Amino acid sequence: MTCYSLDEAGRGTLAGPVSIGCVSFSLTTLEKIRNGEILKGLRDSKKIPEPKRIELRKEILKYISYARVTFVSASFIDRFNINQAIFYGMNRSLPSGSNPTQKKIFLLADGNYKLKITKPIEGYLSLPKGDDLIPSISAASILAKTYRDEYMERMDTKYPGYGFAKHKGYGTEEHRDALVKLGISPIHRLSFCKFLRSGESEPTLF
């Protein structure tokens, strides 16, 4: 049986995609992680300073058996809602071509989800705070967050003035003030920005 671990980044942001990380380690590698030989300091990516996250990502990619990060766009989130976007991203992040004749698959995921997986799996465990408790979920969390953060830094150049490089799309006071001033960009989630609506006028598009 092969175990894949999943986690997301950017669930609650006002802008940008939600990012889904999926990883798998060999049993030998997992044993080394448990023994503290490699990948020391794995935990919830939000609790790790950015330089350390980047350092850990390099090490994760060195030891990983499988890794994939999937972005699901703001427009998809607006159309189908954030949970459906996360499930879609999870399905896209798993290896393609899975079928009952291949190795059985078991999933570990952060959160408290009833997962909607379209590919054949043996089962799953969705664990609250799993990204802080299970090293492989922590690794998925780090990949999801670091690649999403880098994407939002690129969007800061494409759509200047919002401060994407600083807040990564989260609803900080700075970000909300910029939205009032500049209006909504193409990467904003309209369904998450309803607070902008007033009786006087709708936000303008960038």
Side-chain angles (χ1 to χ4, degrees):
M1 183 180 295
T2 304
C3 182
Y4 295 91
S5 295
L6 298 151
D7 197 13
E8 49 77 18
R11 177 187 177 89
T13 64
L14 303 182
V18 64
S19 173
I20 311 298
C22 179
V23 305
S24 181
F25 292 106
S26 70
L27 291 177
T28 300
T29 300
L30 287 172
E31 188 65 24
K32 289 181 179 180
I33 295 172
R34 281 193 214 99
N35 292 338
E37 298 174 41
I38 59 173
L39 291 169
K40 298 177 182 179
L42 280 179
R43 62 181 310 191
D44 177 1
S45 63
K46 297 185 292 297
K47 298 179 180 179
I48 302 173
E50 183 177 1
K52 180 63 175 178
R53 285 199 300 264
I54 298 300
E55 180 184 326
L56 281 170
R57 183 177 74 181
K58 291 177 181 178
E59 194 175 358
I60 289 166
L61 294 176
K62 178 181 176 181
Y63 289 106
I64 212 78
S65 297
Y66 174 87
R68 184 171 180 180
V69 174
T70 300
F71 288 173
V72 185
S73 69
S75 60
F76 189 105
I77 293 167
D78 285 336
R79 183 175 180 185
F80 295 104
N81 78 45
I82 185 64
N83 283 338
Q84 296 307 313
I86 289 171
F87 295 146
Y88 177 75
M90 286 180 172
N91 280 288
R92 290 290 302 273
S93 294
L94 290 169
S96 59
S98 296
N99 62 60
T101 64
Q102 292 179 315
K103 289 183 179 180
K104 294 180 180 179
I105 291 176
F106 189 87
L107 305 181
L108 292 171
D110 178 56
N112 188 25
Y113 294 113
K114 291 184 178 179
L115 298 187
K116 296 182 180 179
I117 302 298
T118 58
K119 297 178 180 180
I121 62 172
E122 190 71 10
Y124 71 86
L125 174 63
S126 181
L127 183 66
K129 298 184 179 180
D131 55 357
D132 217 21
L133 299 171
I134 298 177
S136 57
I137 300 180
S138 302
S141 170
I142 289 168
L143 294 189
K145 180 164 178 57
T146 55
Y147 283 114
R148 186 186 185 280
D149 283 356
E150 290 172 354
Y151 172 85
M152 294 305 294
E153 289 166 8
R154 294 195 297 273
M155 291 301 99
D156 186 68
T157 301
K158 188 172 183 178
Y159 304 111
Y162 293 98
F164 290 142
K166 182 178 180 181
H167 53 65
K168 307 302 189 290
Y170 283 92
T172 63
E173 183 177 356
E174 175 190 357
H175 188 185
R176 289 170 180 262
D177 288 345
L179 273 166
V180 171
K181 179 181 178 181
L182 300 174
I184 295 173
S185 78
I187 66 166
H188 276 96
R189 304 173 186 179
L190 300 179
S191 56
F192 282 49
C193 295
K194 293 178 181 178
F195 65 91
L196 284 174
R197 295 177 182 173
S198 69
E200 296 179 3
S201 62
E202 291 291 316
T204 57
L205 287 176
F206 189 95

